[in-house]
Amino acid sequence: MNSKQKIGLLGALAVVGTGYFLFKNDKDEKSISTSDKETKLHGDDTESNFIGISNARIHQALMAQNPNYAKAFKKDLKTWGTVSGVMDVSNDFDEAKRKKKKLKAFAQKALEVQKNYEEKAVHLPEISKTQITLTNNGTSVRTINLWGANMGTSISKPLPGDVQDHKVNQEVQTGVHPQNVGFNSFNGLLYVANQLSDSVTIMDTSGAIVKTVALGNVYPGFVSPVDVAFNPFNGEAWVVCSVENTVRILDASHNIIQTIPVGNRPTSIAYNPENSCFYVSNLLDNTLSKIDSTSYNVVATLNTGEDPRTVSVWNQQGTVWVSNSSSDSVSIFDTADNLLSEINATGDYPTEFTETTTSLFLIAKNSNELLELNPETHNIENTYPLGFQPSGIIYNPVNGFLYVLSNQTGLIYIYSTNGTISETLSLNNSPNIGITALPSGEVFTTNTSGGNLAFIGYSDSSSDITINESYPEKRAEFQFKPALVKHAKFVFSDENRASGLKLIHQSPTGKQHVTPISFNNYKSPQNYLDVAEVTAVRGDVIDGKSTWEFKIAPGQTITILVYYKQLQFKYLIPTIKI
């Protein structure tokens, strides 16, 4: 056998060996069970073990890029999948595509939101800050009310003793040449005697005229009403008619029910609760008419001094006091019509009385004097110079001051009961005669030449409290553009501070909701200052219907920093696309 024959025999044997080997391997492969094959290919079904298969060829065969993988997936989906998709064969490649698609859509949406935000960011509110500085220049603790524009809340209402804050709130026209004015506690109405129009103007305490009662229509001034007093048990108004020499009685419905003749030129009237009688001073007769309030009869006529001008009753004892203007004296009677005493040297032309809880005060017109009389001893306790011709006087029990009118200067002079002048209130530089005070402390006075009734009240806020000039503007701004509070910082000038803050909100029905906040819970000393960082106000809305209420000590300054967001309503209105 030559060399070429040997080479051919070896090649044939190699082919036969290779075929046998492949046949044997194919036979061994078919004998492996399906479960064993699964285990061999996939391990324990975890992704980490799957990736860790050492057989690179098997790993490559299972990769999604392999064309046979897609065919196997379709075959498995056809065999095991359902129409409803309850059972599905996992396709990591398609699932990744779906996730990528969702992520892309989400990212696109986020970009749109960001773009929209950037377009409207200029309209979104930013944190703003406003500063309020308050100082109490007085000697009393004051209540402070901030905001509350719609509620008519003042920064700090004057106290009754703040007579320096008095002002004329309004003037209401009455009749011609009004004289005295009286308050009827039975119906809460004011009665003004109009001398030269022969009428009585009846109005409520807001100034609304309820009725004008005509007492005569023959000649102006023929009846001439000058004074009025009231029966507290039935509301009757007893009107003194000085030219007609009568007393006209109006019932609670403002009808004239009686006309009672009295003495010559009656000028004043007073009710005595001790015996239920009215007393009328008769100027030209030098007498005092006593009238029973039930029978309407004159039951006694008492002799007085010369030209009795005004009658008054000391209610605690029922004694009757009469000022005798020409004899410069005062006559005092008891309920049994006995003359108890005569006080002389009461100044030149004594006229009007008023009473406090301990004394009677009398003014002497021509000698410009204020006299304090002791109702127990019937002595003159004190005499105070006035410096002007007084024409009327009233004691205000709410604040304990005496209000003295002058028809010479047209002013009200306000005195303490020890004769010290506290304030002078300008009215109208016209003669003012009648004056009365309400239980609420409001004072009313008649202007004879102007024919009106002046309502004397208080200013909106105490003059003891000062606040920075920018506050009213900010208050009005918040009324129309509400502010959402982030927090507030209260800086106190000293440690003498009130205990807390009240957030007061008023509903459309008028009901108030109060949230109390303690300053002590938010105490935060900073740079040796007494500071309260009040975070509890977060979320509070400052508008016209909310109020912050707290106290401020005498001589104290409080600085408030309010951090807030202020929304503009036009940016809250959704855009309508057409």
Side-chain angles (χ1 to χ4, degrees):
M1 183 177 298
N2 56 30
S3 59
K4 291 184 179 180
Q5 290 175 330
K6 288 180 180 181
I7 293 172
L9 179 61
L10 289 172
L13 289 173
V15 172
V16 172
T18 301
Y20 177 80
F21 178 79
L22 293 174
F23 174 81
K24 188 175 185 301
N25 282 348
D26 184 67
K27 184 177 180 181
D28 292 341
E29 185 75 23
K30 290 180 179 178
S31 65
I32 298 175
S33 65
T34 304
S35 61
D36 290 338
K37 184 180 180 181
E38 296 281 341
T39 303
K40 182 178 180 181
L41 294 178
H42 300 286
D44 60 359
D45 294 330
T46 63
E47 185 178 2
S48 59
N49 288 333
F50 171 76
I51 296 300
I53 293 177
S54 59
N55 191 323
R57 291 181 63 190
I58 295 175
H59 190 191
Q60 181 64 29
L62 293 176
M63 295 303 291
Q65 290 84 352
N66 194 313
N68 294 326
Y69 180 87
K71 293 181 180 180
F73 170 75
K74 290 180 179 180
K75 181 179 178 182
D76 290 339
L77 181 62
K78 184 177 181 181
T79 303
W80 305 105
T82 63
V83 176
S84 62
V86 175
M87 294 180 64
D88 199 354
V89 176
S90 176
N91 184 340
D92 294 336
F93 177 67
D94 287 353
E95 182 65 24
K97 289 176 64 178
R98 284 194 294 271
K99 288 183 178 179
K100 186 176 181 181
K101 186 176 181 180
K102 289 181 179 179
L103 181 61
K104 184 177 180 180
F106 178 78
Q108 184 65 29
K109 184 67 176 176
L111 290 174
E112 292 178 2
V113 172
Q114 182 178 1
K115 182 180 179 182
N116 185 57
Y117 174 82
E118 291 173 352
E119 290 177 352
K120 297 186 177 181
V122 293
H123 304 318
L124 296 178
E126 298 179 354
I127 297 295
S128 300
K129 179 178 68 176
T130 188
Q131 177 174 319
I132 303 163
T133 302
L134 294 149
T135 301
N136 183 355
N137 302 292
T139 58
S140 302
V141 174
R142 297 284 175 167
T143 298
I144 300 297
N145 289 278
L146 295 181
W147 322 125
N150 291 0
M151 302 165 65
T153 305
S154 67
I155 297 174
S156 183
K157 289 185 177 180
L159 299 174
D162 295 337
V163 293
Q164 72 276 9
D165 293 325
H166 269 317
K167 71 170 187 175
V168 179
N169 287 329
Q170 65 172 326
E171 292 181 336
V172 180
Q173 289 299 126
T174 60
V176 180
H177 204 74
Q179 295 291 296
N180 283 328
V181 54
F183 176 71
N184 190 343
S185 60
F186 185 85
N187 55 21
L189 298 177
L190 295 162
Y191 291 66
V192 181
N194 303 307
Q195 185 178 19
L196 297 185
S197 59
D198 292 338
S199 65
V200 175
T201 301
I202 303 171
M203 66 180 71
D204 63 22
T205 54
S206 71
I209 295 179
V210 176
K211 189 175 182 179
T212 298
V213 180
L215 302 180
N217 53 14
V218 179
Y219 298 105
F222 180 79
V223 176
S224 193
V226 295
D227 198 15
V228 58
F230 307 97
N231 187 329
F233 300 103
N234 57 21
E236 289 178 348
W238 290 49
V239 183
V240 173
C241 303
S242 63
V243 174
E244 191 182 51
N245 298 331
T246 63
V247 172
R248 299 280 190 99
I249 302 175
L250 310 180
D251 63 14
S253 299
H254 319 310
N255 300 308
I256 300 174
I257 58 173
Q258 289 285 338
T259 299
I260 303 172
V262 289
N264 192 11
R265 193 56 63 84
T267 56
S268 176
I269 186 170
Y271 176 75
N272 193 338
E274 290 296 317
N275 56 14
S276 300
C277 289
F278 284 88
Y279 291 79
V280 180
S281 59
N282 302 304
L283 184 68
L284 299 184
D285 282 351
N286 300 332
T287 61
L288 190 67
S289 298
K290 179 182 178 182
I291 308 172
D292 184 85
S293 63
T294 303
S295 65
Y296 305 131
N297 293 324
V298 176
V299 294
T301 300
L302 311 177
N303 293 321
T304 65
E306 189 176 351
D307 295 340
R309 179 66 179 81
T310 303
V311 57
S312 182
V313 174
W314 174 250
N315 289 332
Q316 296 183 28
Q317 296 176 341
T319 52
V320 181
W321 297 60
V322 183
S323 62
N324 303 306
S325 59
S326 293
S327 58
D328 300 335
S329 64
V330 172
S331 300
I332 307 170
F333 298 89
D334 63 15
T335 55
D337 307 334
N338 299 308
L339 179 64
L340 296 177
S341 182
E342 188 97 13
I343 304 175
N344 296 308
T346 54
D348 186 0
Y349 202 84
T351 55
E352 307 295 325
F353 289 99
T354 191
E355 66 175 77
T356 68
T357 55
T358 59
S359 303
L360 277 166
F361 283 87
L362 173 68
I363 54 175
K365 182 177 181 180
N366 292 340
S367 58
N368 303 326
E369 291 176 314
L370 175 65
L371 292 86
E372 182 180 2
L373 309 178
N374 189 319
E376 300 290 338
T377 63
H378 303 164
N379 293 325
I380 300 174
E381 295 289 338
N382 293 291
T383 300
Y384 305 108
L386 296 180
F388 55 88
Q389 285 191 333
S391 55
I393 186 172
I394 196 69
Y395 172 70
N396 191 337
V398 174
N399 56 24
F401 283 92
L402 297 165
Y403 293 70
V404 183
L405 279 174
S406 171
N407 59 7
Q408 181 185 45
T409 64
L411 302 175
I412 291 181
Y413 300 87
I414 304 174
Y415 285 82
S416 64
T417 53
N418 62 8
T420 302
I421 187 167
S422 298
E423 194 66 30
T424 301
L425 176 63
S426 176
L427 292 175
N428 42 39
N429 296 319
S430 298
N432 298 280
I433 295 177
I435 187 168
T436 191
L438 267 61
S440 63
E442 193 171 13
V443 176
F444 300 85
T445 178
T446 58
N447 172 4
T448 54
S449 61
N452 59 48
L453 181 68
F455 289 56
I456 313 299
Y458 289 90
S459 302
D460 293 333
S461 296
S462 169
S463 59
D464 282 346
I465 300 297
T466 56
I467 192 168
N468 52 301
E469 296 180 356
S470 61
Y471 168 75
E473 182 179 352
K474 183 62 65 175
R475 181 180 188 232
E477 180 185 356
F478 285 165
Q479 181 182 5
F480 299 103
K481 297 178 182 178
L484 182 66
V485 180
K486 182 178 180 289
H487 79 280
K489 179 187 293 186
F490 286 73
V491 183
F492 301 87
S493 62
D494 53 52
E495 295 184 355
N496 185 21
R497 60 178 178 177
S499 59
L501 168 71
K502 291 181 181 179
L503 305 183
I504 304 174
H505 290 269
Q506 182 171 294
S507 69
T509 60
K511 184 178 180 180
Q512 290 189 349
H513 176 72
V514 180
T515 302
I517 298 173
S518 174
F519 283 131
N520 293 329
N521 293 340
Y522 302 93
K523 192 172 183 180
S524 176
Q526 299 174 15
N527 298 327
Y528 304 101
L529 296 174
D530 189 14
V531 179
E533 291 274 5
V534 185
T535 57
V537 299
R538 183 181 181 89
D540 187 53
V541 177
I542 301 178
D543 55 12
K545 303 180 290 297
S546 64
T547 302
W548 290 10
E549 181 181 298
F550 53 93
K551 305 285 186 180
I552 184 170
Q556 189 177 57
T557 296
I558 300 177
T559 299
I560 307 168
L561 298 174
V562 183
Y563 300 83
Y564 63 93
K565 289 185 177 183
Q566 193 172 25
L567 300 177
Q568 297 189 37
F569 286 111
K570 65 180 180 179
Y571 299 128
L572 300 178
I573 301 174
T575 302
I576 301 175
K577 296 182 179 180
I578 301 176

